[in-house]
Amino acid sequence: MAYPQESIHLGIMISQRQADEGECADSPPLQMPEDLFCRQLCKFGRKLGINAYLFDASCPQHASAISGYTLNHGVWERVSMPLPDIVYDRTMCRTARQIELRSRTLAALKQKKSFILMNGSLPDKWNVHTLLQQDEEMQPWLVPSARYEGSGQLIMLEKQHPYGLFLKPSAGTHGKGALHVFRSGGKYRIEGRDRHNGIIACEFNHLWEAADWIQRFASGTYLVQPYLRLSGDNDRPFDVRALIQKNNRGHWSFTGAALREGERGSVTSNLHGGGKAVGASESLTRRFGGDTAARLLADIRRISQRAAVRLEESCGRLAEIGFDFGIE
C-alpha cells in the first residue's frame, strides 16, 4: 500500500495480541486490543490524511519500516509500514516485564527515526499526588495520602479513621492489589483485589495479624489513605472518570465524563474488575438531583483542567489525561 511522501505516519502501539512474544500472529480473523477504538482511529486518520496503523513490541523493525497492522476493507491486515512520525502509546502495561519491553521497543525505534511521543508518561500515583499537593488550589481536592511504611504506621492510622484504611499500589492499574482494612464486630477484615483482580476477603482477630498479612502481600510502593465511603444506596462503589485532551489549538479541553459503577460490595469500580460505565450527567442527576449534579460536573471540569496544566509543567508535554473522582 503506497502513501504520499508527505503523509503523516501515526503508529499506535498496542498491547501484544498473544502470549507468544516471538512474532506477530497473522492468522485471520485478527482481533486487536481496544479493537473498535483502534478502528475508529484508523478510519478517522484517513479523513485527515494521516496514515494510522497498529504495532506491538513483538513486531519486527527494519531500517525504514516496521511490521504492523492496517485496516483493509474493514479487516486487519499485516503489512510493512513506514516508521512512525508520531507514536500513540496504548500498551496498558500490567507487569514490569511489559514495561521494560515497551521501553526497549521505543528506544530501538528512536535510533532509527526521531518521532514525537504523542502522550508523555506520568509518574506513579505517589509522585502525581506529590506534584499536585504543591498547588494550593488542588490541595482541598486530594485524598490525604502517605507512603505505606509497615505495620506500625497501619496500627496508628487505623485509630484515626472510623471507616478503616484503603491501600493501593503506587504503580498499579485496574484496581489490582487494592485493599480495604476495617474493624468489623470486634475483628479486622481485609477486602479487596489480588494481583490478578481476584476477590480477597479475610478476617483476623487482631490488627497486627492483618498488618502482617499486608506486609507479605504488598510488594513495591503502596499508598495508604483513609477509606472513603464512595458507594451508592445499592452498595455498589462508583466514581467518575473524566477525560481531558488537547484541542486543535493545543489547549486543554474537557472531553467528557463517565460514571463507573463496580460490583456490589467491591472496593473498586474499575471496569476490569467487573464494573460498568454509564453517562455521568444522568447518573449523577439520579443520585443527587439536577442542580447538585451540574455543580459536581463543573467542579470536575475545573479541577481536571487545572491538574492537567500542573502535571504538564512538571512531566513534559502531554496530550490526554484521565482523572478519577470519588464522591462521598
Side-chain angles (χ1 to χ4, degrees), residues 232-296:
D233 294 336
N234 58 5
D235 196 32
R236 294 181 183 271
F238 73 92
D239 64 10
V240 174
R241 162 62 65 92
L243 178 63
I244 184 167
Q245 298 174 305
K246 290 282 183 66
N247 61 21
N248 59 351
R249 292 172 296 176
H251 299 153
W252 286 110
S253 177
F254 186 79
T255 302
L259 186 143
R260 303 183 303 179
E261 187 176 66
E263 294 181 319
R264 190 182 305 276
S266 173
V267 300
T268 64
S269 55
N270 298 75
L271 304 186
H272 288 78
K276 62 179 182 179
V278 291
S281 180
E282 53 268 36
S283 298
L284 292 175
T285 297
R286 285 197 300 269
R287 283 172 164 81
F288 304 111
D291 292 343
T292 299
R295 178 177 58 80
L296 288 169

Side-chain angles (χ1 to χ4, degrees), residues 27-60:
S27 48
L30 295 178
Q31 185 79 13
M32 300 295 165
E34 299 186 297
D35 194 272
L36 177 59
F37 178 61
C38 289
R39 287 173 180 270
Q40 292 172 333
L41 288 176
C42 291
K43 290 176 182 177
F44 193 68
R46 287 175 182 172
K47 295 180 181 179
L48 299 175
I50 297 173
N51 168 29
Y53 61 89
L54 313 182
F55 72 98
D56 66 40
S58 68
C59 291

Side-chain angles (χ1 to χ4, degrees), residues 109-184:
L109 266 179
K110 204 74 170 179
Q111 289 183 341
K112 298 177 177 68
K113 179 181 179 180
S114 180
F115 61 82
I116 296 172
L117 188 62
M118 194 178 104
N119 205 40
S121 59
L122 291 172
D124 61 16
K125 293 182 180 69
W126 172 245
N127 284 298
V128 166
H129 176 84
T130 301
L131 289 172
L132 295 179
Q133 187 71 28
Q134 296 169 8
D135 185 331
E136 290 186 1
E137 288 193 32
M138 291 298 304
Q139 290 174 6
W141 306 104
L142 300 174
V143 180
S145 304
R147 292 182 66 168
Y148 180 59
E149 297 175 351
S151 57
Q153 179 196 40
L154 188 80
I155 293 170
M156 178 187 69
L157 291 175
E158 190 274 336
K159 298 175 182 177
Q160 302 173 18
H161 301 291
Y163 302 117
L165 300 172
F166 187 68
L167 292 90
K168 59 184 178 182
S170 183
T173 58
H174 306 144
K176 295 179 181 179
L179 303 172
H180 177 203
V181 186
F182 61 101
R183 192 186 308 227
S184 174

